[in-house]
Amino acid sequence: MNGNPTTRKNVLIVDDVEVNRLILKNTLENDLVPLEAANGDDAIKIIEEHLDNIAVILLDLNMPGKNGFDVLEYMFEAHLTDDIPVIVLSSSDEEAKIEKAFSLGAIDYMPRPFSARLLLRRVLTTISLFHRKKAMAFEIDKRFSMAENRIDPLTGLYTSNIFYNQVYDKIKNAPRRSLCMVAVDIDHFKLFNRFYGRAKGDEYLRLIGKSLKAYEEKYSAIAGYLGGDDFAILIPNRQGILGDMKKRAREELLDRDYELGYAPKFGVFSIEDPTEPVMDIVDHAFTALASIRTDYTHLMAWYNQDMVRHVRDEFVLLSDVERAVRDNEFTFYLQPKCNMLSGKIVGAEALVRWSHRDKGMIPPAAFLPVLEKNGFITKVDQLVWEKVCQWQRNWIDNGHDALPISINVSRNDMFSLDFTDYFLKLIEKYRLPSNLIELEITESSYIEDLERVGAEINKLHAAGFSILMDDFGSGYSSLNSLKELDIDVLKIDMKFLHIDYENQAKGVSILESMVNMANQLRLPIIIEGIEMYEQVNLLTEMGCKYAQGYYYYKPINVAAYEDLLLDESKVDFGGIQLSEVDQVHMMDLSEEKLFSDEMINNILGAIAFYEINGDTVRLLRLNEQYYNMMDMDYVMADSEYATHLRQSIYPEDRDKFFWLFKKADENGLRGATADIRYMKDGVDMRWIRFRIFPLRKQNDSRLYYGSLEDITEIYQNNENG
Ligand code: C2E
Ligand code: MG
Ligand code: MG
C-alpha cells in the first residue's frame, strides 16, 4: 500500500544548481521535509527509497547526465506519476519541453524565475488538489467529503481548491466583465500571534473572513481562504469597491484595538486575459502584495511588469552569487575602531566585499538584502568568518599581538546554524581565544524574536564571546530591548541621527540622550560613521571614547591593515573599557546635569522626543513601544501629528497636555507627570501617564523628553473596587 497522502511529508527537490536547491529548501521547509538530489540518478534512488513519503517532486529539466526527462520517463513507466505529483521547473520560453513534460505525467510547471512565496502556495495547493483528486477516485461517499471540505470552518470562506474551481467557472462564464483578483494577507501575522496569542490570531482571521464574505454577498464576488494568513477574492474591478475595501480593513483593525503594523494588505491584479490559468492570476495578485509587505505607508498595490522584472533581477543575482562562492570571490575588508582620545586602534570590524570578476569591488548593500531574503547570506557569512579566523591565526603565527575583530551576524545565521556551537568549533579549529572574535548583531535580527536571540546571546556569553549591538538608533531599537538582552557594547551609527546642518542641534540632543542613557546602563559605546573632526570633539565632550569612521580609517584590505598594526604608535592593546559614570563630562549648556534620576528611571518603555514652538508640538523621534502604544506611524508629518493630537486627546484633557510641558519647564530635572485620557479613533478611551522632562531651549523652541505608560488598568481597577 502507498502511504496516506495526508501523512506524506517529503518534498523532493531535484536541481543541479546548489543555490536553487537552497532557495527551494528554505521556502518549503516550514511545511515539508526537503530531500535533495543534484542529478537524475540520485533522484531516482531517492524516489525508490522514499516512495511512500514523498508528497511532491520539484524537478529541474536541464541537468547534466540524467536530466529531468529521464526521471519523468522512469516515473511514467513505473506508474509513479499517478502517485506523486511532479512540478517541472523551467523557463517559460521552453514551451516544447514543457509540453513533453506534461505528456510524461508532470502535473504543473513553474516558470523561472519565481518568487518564493508564490512557489510555496503553488506547491501546497498542488499537493492538496492532487491527493484530493486521487482520494476521490477511491472514496464511495464522494459528495460527503466534498461538502465537508468546501468551506473552511474558521473563516467561513471557500477552501483553496474549491475557490480555484469557482473562480475558473466565473471567469469562463463572464469573460467580458471586468474582474480583478485581490490577494490579502496580514503584515507581521506571526508577530501578531506571539503578542496577542493564537486565539486572537484566529479571531483576526475570522474577522477578515467575515468582511470578505460581505463582499461576496454584495458584489457576487468569490472569496477563498488559502491557508496561513493568505486570502484571495475575485471581485468586480471597480475603484469604489477597492477603495472601500482598503478603508474598511483599517477601520475594523482600529476598532479591535489592533496596531496598524498588523494591517491587512491587498495586492490587486486586474484580469485582462480570461484564459490565463487561475493559479497564475492568484500568483500575480500575491506578487503585487509582496511589493508592499512591511511597508507602513501602503495598504494596497497593483500588479505591474516591474514586479516581475524585480524577481528576475534577484534571480540573476543569486545565480551569480552561487558562482562567486565557487570562484572564491568573497573576501573582507577591515575597518579599524579607534580610541578617540588617543586616535589609536583598539580593534577592527570585518566587512564583506565581493570582488567580482567583471564588475570589480561590490559593496554589501548591492547584494546582502537579496541574500538575506532567501537565507543564502549564511553561506557567505560563514565564508567571511572562516577567512577572518584564518587571518587572525596567521597573524599570531607570524609572531604578532592580535586585536579583536568583530564579524557581522545576520538574522538568518542565528536560526539556521547551531550558532554558539558553530563559533566554538570555528575558534577551536583556528586555536583562537574567544575574545579575539566579537559578534555584531543588528537590531532587525532580534526585534522579531527577542527570546530566542536572547537565549543565544546568553550561550555565546557563557562561551566567552562579546556581543556588540549594531546600528542602535536606526528606528526599532529601544532601551527596553537592551535591558532584556545581555549586550556588551552598543554601536550608535551617526547616519541614523540625521545630524545635517539644519537639524544639528536636535540630532545632537538626541545623541546626547542616548549616550547618557547607555552610560547609566553601564554600556560602552562605539560611535560609527565619524567623518569630521568636529564630531570627534562633540562626542568626546559627551563622554564617548570609541569610534569607527572615515575620519580615522575607511574599510581597508588586509595588507593595509597589517601595515597599520605593525606601527606600534598606532595601536592600543588595552581594548574597549567602560568609562566610569562619574568621569563622564556632560555638556554644560544648561549649567546643570542634564539627566536626573527620575528621568533615568523612566527610560524604559515608550519614549519620545518632543519639540514645542509656540503652540505647535512636534514629535521628533519615538521608539517602537511608543509607536505601539499610541497607534502612530514612524513618519508622521507635523500637520498630521497636530491632527492626531487633536483627535486623540480627550477634549477635557487637552489643556492639561500642554500644561505638562510648561510644568516640566518649571520643575526642571524633576519633570512633570500627568494622566491623560487618550482615544483611539474617537471611541476606545485609555489612560496614558505622560512624564515630560525639559532637555534644552534653543531660540524659540524647546526640546523635551517624554516617557509614556498605559495605566488604563489601574484606573479600571480603581473604578471596580
Ligand atoms: P555595519 O555593520 O553597520 O557597518 C558599518 C558600515 O558603515 C560599513 O559599510 C562601513 O564601510 C560604513 N562606514 C564606516 N564609517 C563610515 C563613515 O565615516 N561614513 C560613511 N558614510 N560610512 C561609514 P559597508 O561595508 O558597506 O557595510 C554595510 C553593512 O553591511 C554593514 O553595516 C553590515 O550590516 C552589513 N555587512 C557587512 N559585512 C557583512 C558580513 O560579512 N555579514 C553580514 N551579515 N553583514 C555584513
Ligand atoms: Mg557591523
Ligand atoms: Mg553599524
Side-chain angles (χ1 to χ4, degrees):
M1 270 311 287
N2 292 321
N4 176 347
T6 56
T7 63
R8 292 187 176 196
K9 288 284 184 290
N10 290 133
V11 50
L12 173 58
I13 299 166
V14 189
D15 198 315
D16 56 318
V17 180
E18 189 192 359
V19 67
N20 291 349
R21 293 201 304 275
L22 193 92
I23 296 169
L24 293 169
K25 202 170 99 183
N26 277 331
T27 311
L28 299 171
E29 69 189 357
N30 277 338
D31 298 274
L32 294 160
V33 180
L35 302 170
E36 291 180 62
N39 56 56
D41 280 318
D42 286 354
I44 290 171
K45 248 183 252 148
I46 295 176
I47 293 169
E48 284 174 353
E49 208 172 305
H50 297 267
L51 205 53
D52 291 347
N53 287 317
I54 298 178
V56 64
I57 297 177
L58 302 182
L59 182 64
D60 178 26
L61 287 179
N62 308 322
M63 290 183 291
K66 261 204 177 121
N67 64 23
F69 291 115
D70 297 323
V71 175
L72 271 175
E73 249 157 46
Y74 152 80
M75 288 187 71
F76 188 70
E77 274 165 27
H79 292 275
L80 288 174
T81 42
D82 298 341
D83 197 40
I84 306 174
V86 178
I87 302 175
V88 168
L89 308 170
S90 173
S91 32
S92 40
D93 53 6
E94 298 177 312
E95 226 164 274
K97 284 190 179 174
I98 293 160
E99 283 297 326
K100 184 172 164 202
F102 276 123
S103 72
L104 285 170
I107 195 152
D108 195 7
Y109 88 97
M110 269 306 276
R112 292 189 207 268
F114 38 75
S115 97
R117 277 176 56 85
L118 301 188
L119 177 92
L120 173 64
R121 259 213 353 282
R122 197 139 166 178
V123 165
L124 294 180
T125 307
T126 300
I127 295 175
S128 104
L129 284 177
F130 183 87
H131 292 296
R132 190 178 302 276
K133 200 172 117 221
K134 213 175 83 177
M136 268 170 57
F138 292 109
E139 267 179 50
I140 307 162
D141 198 352
K142 280 188 231 167
R143 266 188 304 162
F144 180 72
S145 103
M146 281 285 287
E148 195 182 40
N149 294 306
R150 274 178 75 87
I151 302 294
D152 171 65
L154 178 67
T155 58
L157 303 181
Y158 288 124
T159 52
S160 61
N161 49 332
I162 303 293
F163 172 72
Y164 286 112
N165 283 332
Q166 296 272 5
V167 168
Y168 177 81
D169 288 345
K170 173 115 184 174
I171 296 176
K172 213 176 64 180
N173 293 329
R176 279 175 311 130
R177 288 189 55 194
S178 163
L179 292 166
C180 64
M181 180 62 71
V182 181
V184 187
D185 84 354
I186 302 166
D187 244 3
H188 304 301
F189 187 59
K190 273 199 193 130
L191 207 59
F192 180 95
N193 272 324
R194 201 160 66 83
F195 279 159
Y196 295 97
R198 281 230 156 249
K200 281 270 185 199
D202 284 352
E203 188 188 307
Y204 195 176
L205 295 175
R206 208 174 296 130
L207 176 71
I208 292 184
K210 213 174 111 196
S211 49
L212 294 184
K213 192 91 200 155
Y215 288 100
E216 226 179 28
E217 280 154 20
K218 204 160 157 197
Y219 302 109
S220 63
I222 298 171
Y225 173 60
L226 309 181
D229 62 337
D230 290 348
F231 297 81
I233 182 167
L234 180 78
I235 51 168
N237 192 359
R238 290 213 308 267
Q239 200 57 42
I241 302 178
L242 291 168
D244 179 61
M245 193 175 243
K246 194 163 83 170
K247 189 165 143 256
R248 277 258 288 276
R250 200 187 138 99
E251 282 165 4
E252 277 178 3
L253 188 76
L254 295 175
D255 268 0
R256 312 270 150 159
D257 238 359
Y258 298 154
E259 314 297 344
L260 258 190
Y262 305 114
K265 293 281 179 73
F266 303 92
V268 187
F269 174 68
S270 96
I271 301 169
E272 315 281 332
D273 171 10
T275 64
E276 194 169 6
V278 174
M279 280 219 218
D280 288 354
I281 289 174
V282 175
D283 283 356
H284 294 330
F286 273 96
T287 300
L289 183 106
S291 71
I292 48 168
R293 184 166 291 281
T294 73
D295 164 359
Y296 289 110
T297 54
H298 291 92
L299 291 179
M300 192 174 266
W302 275 258
Y303 177 85
N304 64 46
Q305 279 301 317
D306 285 350
M307 294 172 178
V308 183
R309 194 167 318 131
H310 186 66
V311 172
R312 192 179 321 126
D313 288 349
E314 290 193 353
F315 182 75
V316 169
L317 176 72
L318 275 172
S319 317
D320 204 22
V321 166
E322 214 249 344
R323 179 199 56 74
V325 167
R326 264 198 324 265
D327 294 351
N328 196 20
E329 289 183 355
F330 287 98
T331 177
F332 65 93
Y333 273 13
L334 288 166
Q335 186 178 31
K337 298 172 187 168
C338 295
N339 180 327
M340 283 190 278
L341 302 174
S342 63
K344 289 188 180 184
I345 301 170
V346 295
E349 171 174 12
L351 295 158
V352 67
R353 292 293 181 268
W354 179 357
S355 150
H356 194 281
R357 59 170 183 194
D358 309 320
K359 299 177 187 158
M361 206 54 93
I362 306 182
F367 58 92
L368 281 190
V370 176
L371 299 195
E372 254 155 19
K373 248 188 357 208
N374 62 57
F376 205 67
I377 179 78
T378 300
K379 181 125 194 174
V380 174
D381 277 345
Q382 283 172 293
L383 266 174
V384 171
W385 305 337
E386 187 98 22
K387 287 193 172 177
V388 169
C389 290
Q390 210 166 22
W391 178 81
Q392 281 278 44
R393 181 70 256 159
N394 246 328
W395 184 248
I396 296 169
D397 283 347
N398 288 334
H400 304 295
D401 285 331
L403 287 177
I405 294 185
S406 59
I407 48 96
N408 287 283
V409 172
S410 74
R411 173 182 156 71
N412 188 70
D413 303 339
M414 288 269 196
F415 301 140
S416 62
L417 294 172
D418 194 346
F419 200 67
T420 307
D421 234 45
Y422 179 85
F423 271 95
L424 278 173
K425 289 213 182 90
L426 193 64
I427 60 169
E428 196 184 323
K429 176 171 171 195
Y430 292 99
R431 293 171 289 119
L432 294 171
S434 52
N435 65 343
L436 287 186
I437 299 293
E438 300 173 333
L439 292 85
E440 298 200 4
I441 301 179
T442 66
E443 56 172 24
S444 54
S445 53
Y446 66 77
I447 191 72
E448 289 232 352
D449 209 339
L450 208 61
E451 271 165 48
R452 209 155 136 199
V453 175
E456 206 61 53
I457 287 179
N458 290 341
K459 268 164 69 185
L460 286 163
H461 266 154
F465 293 102
S466 284
I467 313 293
L468 285 64
M469 179 181 285
D470 208 353
D471 300 343
F472 185 73
S474 58
Y476 290 101
S477 313
S478 71
L479 287 148
N480 212 10
S481 37
L482 287 190
K483 205 181 100 193
E484 278 178 54
L485 293 178
D486 204 359
I487 295 290
D488 300 285
V489 177
L490 200 59
K491 293 187 85 174
I492 298 179
D493 198 322
M494 297 291 281
K495 75 168 171 274
F496 297 125
L497 298 171
H498 308 292
I499 306 190
D500 47 33
Y501 184 73
E502 209 172 302
N503 293 310
Q504 182 135 9
K506 278 160 218 153
V508 168
S509 302
I510 291 166
L511 175 63
E512 191 177 24
S513 318
M514 294 210 255
V515 169
N516 280 296
M517 289 168 189
N519 277 336
Q520 296 291 333
L521 291 170
R522 311 206 42 75
L523 266 176
I525 298 174
I526 298 174
I527 304 285
E528 271 190 283
I530 294 272
E531 292 183 349
M532 295 170 298
Y533 175 71
E534 293 73 46
Q535 294 173 320
V536 176
N537 224 356
L538 179 82
L539 285 154
T540 45
E541 274 189 45
M542 282 184 197
C544 296
K545 219 165 140 186
Y546 303 100
Q548 183 183 337
Y550 294 173
Y551 173 74
Y552 294 100
Y553 302 98
K554 290 197 168 174
I556 49 182
N557 65 30
V558 164
Y561 184 67
E562 286 177 354
D563 285 344
L564 286 177
L565 289 191
L566 290 174
D567 182 348
E568 262 174 41
S569 70
K570 294 204 164 89
V571 187
D572 169 3
F573 287 95
I576 290 177
Q577 314 287 333
L578 177 63
S579 358
E580 283 305 312
V581 174
D582 52 31
Q583 284 174 5
V584 173
H585 177 216
M586 305 282 183
M587 284 186 74
D588 261 348
L589 289 174
S590 61
E591 302 285 312
E592 50 186 338
K593 221 175 93 183
L594 265 172
F595 284 79
S596 62
D597 292 343
E598 282 95 330
M599 248 175 104
I600 300 305
N601 290 338
N602 289 301
I603 61 175
L604 302 174
I607 58 167
F609 291 89
Y610 299 94
E611 183 192 52
I612 298 217
N613 193 333
D615 49 10
T616 28
V617 182
R618 295 180 61 192
L619 192 60
L620 296 180
R621 200 180 179 89
L622 66 168
N623 69 355
E624 176 86 356
Q625 276 91 339
Y626 188 103
Y627 160 79
N628 282 334
M629 189 181 293
M630 303 302 265
D631 242 355
M632 225 45 121
D633 239 314
Y634 276 111
V635 273
M636 200 178 254
D638 291 351
S639 59
E640 282 178 287
Y641 183 60
T643 317
H644 169 87
L645 279 182
R646 213 168 30 251
Q647 288 173 350
S648 4
I649 293 179
Y650 214 68
E652 283 102 277
D653 289 353
R654 271 178 210 151
D655 287 345
K656 195 155 63 164
F657 179 73
F658 287 97
W659 166 88
L660 245 182
F661 292 90
K662 285 203 192 75
K663 193 73 190 164
D665 283 336
E666 285 169 27
N667 289 356
L669 289 175
R670 272 188 298 126
T673 304
D675 298 344
I676 284 173
R677 280 164 290 178
Y678 185 88
M679 291 174 295
K680 263 189 180 174
D681 266 23
V683 270
D684 180 29
M685 192 271 283
R686 282 177 307 154
W687 285 95
I688 306 286
R689 179 162 292 167
F690 281 80
R691 292 190 181 83
I692 301 290
F693 302 91
L695 282 177
R696 138 122 21 109
K697 278 180 243 180
Q698 53 192 76
N699 306 331
D700 295 337
S701 65
R702 287 159 177 274
L703 195 68
Y704 299 86
Y705 166 83
S707 99
L708 281 72
E709 192 183 353
D710 189 333
I711 52 162
T712 313
E713 269 182 30
I714 300 179
Y715 274 89
Q716 279 167 352
N717 291 342
N718 284 350
E719 277 164 25
N720 297 339

